[in-house]
Amino acid sequence: QVQLRESGGGLVQPGGSLRLSCAASGSIFRPNAVGWYRQAPGKQRELVATVTNGGSLSYADSVKGRFAVSRDNGENLIYLQMNSLQPEDTAVYYCNINISGQDYWGKGTLVTVSL
């Protein structure tokens, strides 16, 4: 069993920054990929950023140059540094791990970008 717990969400003004963290525990062995997705009100969940086991990075076009995903394998932690946040970044952000084709999800952390 794999458990994921996100933290670091909150209210931030446009142009501000936040750093999300995801703590993973349980039966984690060489995940294919780890990363972040988000779901805005009334919209489908979408990929934000992922990093594969080989270290390849992938970002949604809307966050390229502003967000950065990273991982600490030794501590089973996954991070998402978010800079230059905009109101359209408002969403619930979910941590994801894919292990042998099986997706595991956290419960999400809310990020609100507003004045």
Side-chain angles (χ1 to χ4, degrees):
Q1 192 72 9
V2 174
Q3 296 85 38
L4 303 175
R5 176 179 289 184
E6 303 95 337
S7 61
L11 174 64
V12 62
Q13 293 186 350
S17 298
L18 280 177
R19 188 192 196 202
L20 305 183
S21 299
C22 174
S25 61
S27 301
I28 303 168
F29 181 71
R30 292 183 64 84
N32 296 349
V34 301
W36 295 88
Y37 289 68
R38 68 186 180 186
Q39 187 166 14
K43 295 186 177 181
Q44 291 187 332
R45 190 173 298 188
E46 63 176 1
L47 180 147
V48 175
T50 62
V51 53
T52 68
N53 190 44
S56 296
L57 301 173
S58 179
Y59 293 94
D61 288 342
S62 60
V63 307
K64 283 181 181 177
R66 300 188 298 124
F67 290 13
V69 61
S70 60
R71 60 190 297 184
D72 181 336
N73 290 336
E75 298 293 333
N76 286 336
L77 293 169
I78 307 160
Y79 302 102
L80 184 68
Q81 177 66 42
M82 305 186 294
N83 301 323
S84 301
L85 284 160
Q86 300 301 318
E88 52 266 34
D89 295 315
T90 295
V92 177
Y93 284 72
Y94 297 91
C95 180
N96 170 270
I97 287 181
N98 183 283
I99 302 174
S100 300
Q102 176 69 47
D103 280 315
Y104 298 89
W105 299 93
K107 292 183 178 181
T109 184
L110 176 63
V111 172
T112 303
V113 185
S114 179
L115 291 171

